[in-house]
Amino acid sequence: MFQYRKLRFIFVIVWSAFLASCEDNKNKEIILYKGPVQEVNNVEVLYSEQGALKVQMKTPLQLTYRNENKVFPDTVNINFYNPEGSLITKLRADSGHYDKIQDVFVVLGNVRVVMSEENQILKTTELSWSPRTRKIFTDKPLTLRNNAKGEITKGVGMDADQDFSHIKFRKGTGIYPIDNL
């Protein structure tokens, strides 16, 4: 009889601990992890059309999230190529990200674009590129300096082809030299 009471006592204690632990779990809030699910170092992304290289992006770190968005928290370097495969434009930015739903790459910070064929330098704080439309655009202030002609164009907002061959300012002003009036 003594063992039966001892067993019963142990059963009651174990059962009480089990019920108490179940009660604690009901009050706990579930916290979902929102950080990156993948980290990749020394990334190089190549974008081609019909087998011809169009864009090359390099960055030291890429973070990929559950929704397939990507963040490039460090320097982003992008090279643009003409149909013959020659490098025609270089872009450098402090950081960037890719929005999967909109299918748009965005570079941020001190964005500097050097267009070697036209001897032009574009500076802004943000540029977006849509692989779907093959367009580069911004609604931020920017400056385009044409070193060959001595021209400076300032504007707010811009749309351009992905290789910067055609640039359209949304609101622009400029300084243009006038020869021999």
Side-chain angles (χ1 to χ4, degrees), residues 1-165:
M1 174 90 111
F2 180 70
Q3 272 189 326
Y4 176 71
R5 283 187 181 174
K6 190 176 178 183
L7 244 120
R8 192 170 140 194
F9 177 74
I10 291 173
F11 176 75
V12 168
I13 298 255
V14 169
W15 184 253
S16 297
F18 175 73
L19 289 176
S21 68
C22 288
E23 189 64 32
D24 287 344
N25 286 340
K26 288 181 185 176
N27 294 332
K28 288 184 180 176
E29 185 179 329
I30 297 174
I31 299 173
L32 294 176
Y33 176 69
K34 295 181 181 175
V37 294
Q38 182 182 50
E39 239 181 74
V40 181
N41 293 310
N42 301 318
V43 176
E44 180 178 13
V45 177
L46 303 174
Y47 174 76
S48 61
E49 293 175 359
Q50 300 176 350
L53 179 62
K54 294 291 184 184
V55 180
Q56 172 194 42
M57 182 191 77
K58 290 183 177 184
T59 186
L61 179 63
Q62 173 183 296
L63 306 174
T64 304
Y65 291 82
R66 187 175 309 274
N67 60 4
E68 297 184 44
N69 286 346
K70 298 176 189 326
V71 173
F72 314 107
D74 215 336
T75 307
V76 177
N77 290 290
I78 303 174
N79 295 325
F80 297 88
Y81 296 87
N82 66 12
E84 292 77 36
S86 299
L87 177 64
I88 55 171
T89 302
K90 291 182 175 187
L91 181 150
R92 185 247 173 245
D94 292 339
S95 65
H97 65 269
Y98 170 72
D99 186 311
K100 172 72 173 172
I101 292 174
Q102 294 182 3
D103 190 24
V104 171
F105 288 86
V106 180
V107 290
L108 305 161
N110 296 312
V111 180
R112 180 182 167 100
V113 181
V114 177
M115 295 161 268
S116 56
E117 288 184 340
E118 296 85 14
N119 197 12
Q120 295 179 337
I121 298 173
L122 183 141
K123 293 180 181 179
T124 186
T125 58
E126 180 179 312
L127 280 180
S128 301
W129 172 56
S130 171
R132 185 177 38 81
T133 63
R134 300 182 191 127
K135 297 290 181 185
I136 293 176
F137 53 93
T138 187
D139 59 356
K140 304 294 183 197
L142 59 127
T143 301
L144 177 66
R145 178 182 296 272
N146 185 323
N147 294 324
K149 297 179 182 178
E151 300 172 347
I152 300 172
T153 304
K154 294 185 179 204
V156 178
M158 175 206 76
D159 298 283
D161 292 339
Q162 72 183 7
D163 61 359
F164 291 94
S165 58

